[in-house]
């Protein structure tokens, strides 16, 4: 009823005689606030999606569909709750409704039921248990350019790292193919998470050894995830703060993947200075990130700009900005190579190096 009342306020007279409409002119198309209310109430739909994934609703829906009562029984929630969740998701197109039976849409079945080519549920878990509460403080973040996400507990850290691994897996595989690591012997993976980027490299280049550097709480998660891998004896795990603690030496390739976007430009130049002082004289610096194209921003960089701000005051940056940081911190730009969009690889070396 409220929407109907709002819509009536915006509908001009059908004869085109409203204010500012000349006689005989085509009437202005009726304005509809549905887009505004849809965006404003999006948090309700998002939370319904998170809950549906949490209780296993999509996995509970078979190919031929199921009524709310069956979904409720499989998910162990009240029937009215199952129906309410399903109806909300029908409105988004993620579920389809035929009589009393609900079915997964094709993309839902592929990515949210756990039976398709890619399982996106870890991303939903991250958005639910980590991101959602941070965005409640978005006004402070946008006004101050300071991150508003609180420190993560163990479960939240695992959700965050699983989500990052999911999002960056394709980029990590591309890096192993796009850059020739054969001349290198030891790689330092800065902010390496649970090893998403270093694992393909160690698999593809048997001569490589590596050090994964991240915060101690992240390294504990990585240690558990990587313990049984075939290349575990070629990988050292170091828990440290890259901005404050001594950096491990002896590396001729430094990887900084999906890390710069977490910080302000000032912090990034500080980081690049520290890395310049730690790299071998003939070393290479590999910056992998979602570089923002100002003329046609990729959807991921549009969302990322807000998300990285909430996390720690970061942003999505243009490759030209990174080039300026490199020039100011003793590096020389060597190449800029495309990876899976919107990612790209920027290669640099110490400015004094001659090749």
């Amino acid at each position: 009823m409220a929407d109907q009342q709002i819509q009536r306020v915006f509908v001009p007279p059908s004869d085109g005689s409203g204010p500012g409409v000349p006689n005989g002119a085509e009437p202005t198309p009726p304005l509809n606030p549905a887009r505004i209310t849809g965006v404003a109430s999006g948090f309700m739909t998002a939370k319904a999606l998170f809950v549906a994934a949490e209780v296993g609703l999509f996995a509970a829906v078979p190919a031929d569909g199921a009524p709310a009562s069956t979904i409720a029984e499989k998910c162990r929630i009240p029937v009215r709750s199952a129906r309410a969740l399903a109806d909300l998701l029908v409105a988004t197109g993620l579920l389809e409704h035929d009589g009393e039976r609900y079915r997964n849409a094709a993309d839902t079945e592929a990515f949210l039921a756990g039976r398709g080519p890619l399982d996106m549920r870890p991303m939903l878990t991250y958005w639910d248990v980590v991101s959602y509460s941070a965005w409640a403080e978005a006004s402070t973040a946008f006004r101050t350019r300071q991150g508003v996400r609180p420190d993560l507990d163990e479960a939240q850290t695992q959700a965050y790292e699983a989500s990052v691994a999911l999002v960056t897996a394709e980029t990590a595989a591309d890096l192993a193919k796009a850059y020739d690591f054969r001349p290198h012997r030891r790689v330092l993976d800065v902010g390496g998470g649970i090893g998403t980027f270093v694992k393909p490299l160690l698999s593809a280049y048997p001569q490589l050894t590596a050090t994964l550097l991240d915060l101690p709480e992240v390294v504990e998660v990585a240690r558990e995830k990587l313990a049984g891998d075939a290349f575990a004896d070629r990988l050292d795990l170091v828990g440290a703060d890259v901005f404050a603690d001594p950096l491990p030496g002896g590396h001729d390739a430094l990887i900084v993947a999906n890390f710069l976007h977490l910080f302000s430009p000032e912090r990034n130049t500080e980081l690049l200075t520290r890395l310049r002082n730690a790299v071998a004289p003939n070393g290479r610096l590999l910056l992998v990130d979602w570089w923002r194209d100002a003329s046609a921003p990729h959807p991921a960089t549009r969302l990322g700009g807000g998300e990285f701000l909430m996390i720690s005051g970061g942003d999505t940056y243009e490759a030209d900005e990174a080039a300026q940081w490199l020039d100011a911190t003793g590096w020389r730009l060597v190449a800029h190579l495309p990876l899976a969009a919107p990612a790209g690889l920027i290669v640099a070396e110490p400015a004094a190096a001659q090749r």
Side-chain angles (χ1 to χ4, degrees):
M1 178 65 71
D3 272 357
Q4 293 175 359
Q5 291 173 342
I6 293 172
Q7 289 178 36
R8 283 201 294 270
V9 171
F10 286 94
V11 177
S14 58
D15 62 0
S17 61
V21 180
N23 263 343
E26 287 293 323
T28 304
L31 298 178
N32 188 322
R35 180 170 61 179
I36 297 170
T37 56
V39 172
S41 61
F43 69 96
M44 302 177 192
T45 305
K47 196 65 178 179
L49 173 59
F50 302 155
V51 173
E54 177 189 342
V55 301
L57 186 148
F58 304 115
V61 177
D64 59 347
S69 57
T70 300
I71 295 172
E73 182 180 358
K74 290 184 176 181
C75 296
R76 299 182 180 181
I77 60 176
V79 174
R80 289 184 180 275
S81 296
R83 182 179 296 113
L85 281 173
D87 284 344
L88 278 167
L89 296 170
V90 166
T92 69
L94 293 174
L95 289 183
E96 298 168 353
H97 194 201
D98 180 12
E100 293 189 356
R101 303 181 76 81
Y102 296 92
R103 293 183 180 83
N104 290 331
D107 52 352
T108 305
E109 180 67 22
F111 305 123
L112 294 179
R115 299 182 287 260
L118 179 65
D119 189 353
M120 295 291 293
R121 290 175 296 180
M123 175 65 74
L124 299 187
T125 301
Y126 163 74
W127 279 331
D128 187 19
V129 305
V130 178
S131 183
Y132 193 88
S133 59
W135 276 86
E137 306 299 326
S139 177
T140 298
F142 281 111
R143 290 175 183 276
T144 65
R145 297 303 305 175
Q146 299 295 313
V148 292
R149 191 187 76 181
D151 292 339
L152 305 184
D153 61 25
E154 182 178 353
Q156 290 173 320
T157 298
Q158 293 211 20
Y160 172 74
E161 293 300 337
S163 173
V164 171
L166 175 68
V167 172
T168 58
E170 183 181 9
T171 306
D174 278 357
L175 174 62
K177 300 172 186 175
Y179 181 82
D180 184 5
F181 284 86
R182 286 178 297 178
H184 298 292
R185 291 295 175 265
R186 187 155 185 81
V187 175
L188 176 63
D189 188 1
V190 178
I194 58 176
T196 307
F197 278 87
V198 77
K199 284 172 63 175
L201 300 183
L202 293 176
S203 297
Y205 296 91
Q207 90 284 358
L208 281 181
T209 59
T211 303
L212 186 154
L213 175 69
D214 213 313
L215 294 172
E217 58 269 27
V218 176
V219 166
E220 286 308 305
V221 177
R223 198 179 306 279
E224 180 181 339
K225 299 280 187 185
L226 299 171
D229 283 356
F231 51 76
D233 60 341
R234 294 158 53 207
L235 176 62
D236 294 329
L237 304 178
V238 175
D241 182 342
V242 70
F243 290 99
D245 297 325
L247 300 179
H251 299 86
D252 60 355
L254 311 181
I255 299 173
V256 183
N258 285 15
F259 195 66
L260 296 180
H261 62 221
L262 295 175
F263 306 104
S264 68
E266 294 76 19
R267 291 287 271 173
N268 285 332
T269 54
E270 178 186 348
L271 172 62
L272 293 174
T273 298
R274 298 202 81 208
L275 295 177
R276 174 64 181 84
N277 294 331
V279 72
N282 63 339
R284 283 285 180 92
L285 173 67
L286 309 178
L287 304 179
V288 180
D289 221 303
W290 290 358
W291 304 114
R292 184 178 183 274
D293 181 346
S295 61
H298 189 278
T301 64
R302 294 181 191 274
L303 290 174
E307 180 67 10
F308 305 145
L309 169 60
M310 301 304 136
I311 292 173
S312 48
D315 200 356
T316 50
Y317 298 105
E318 297 177 31
D320 286 348
E321 292 181 89
Q324 293 172 12
W325 303 337
L326 292 170
D327 186 60
T329 54
W331 297 94
R332 185 179 74 84
L333 180 65
V334 174
H336 181 193
L337 307 173
L339 300 174
L345 167 64
I346 291 177
V347 182
E349 62 185 6
Q354 299 293 325
R355 292 188 183 271

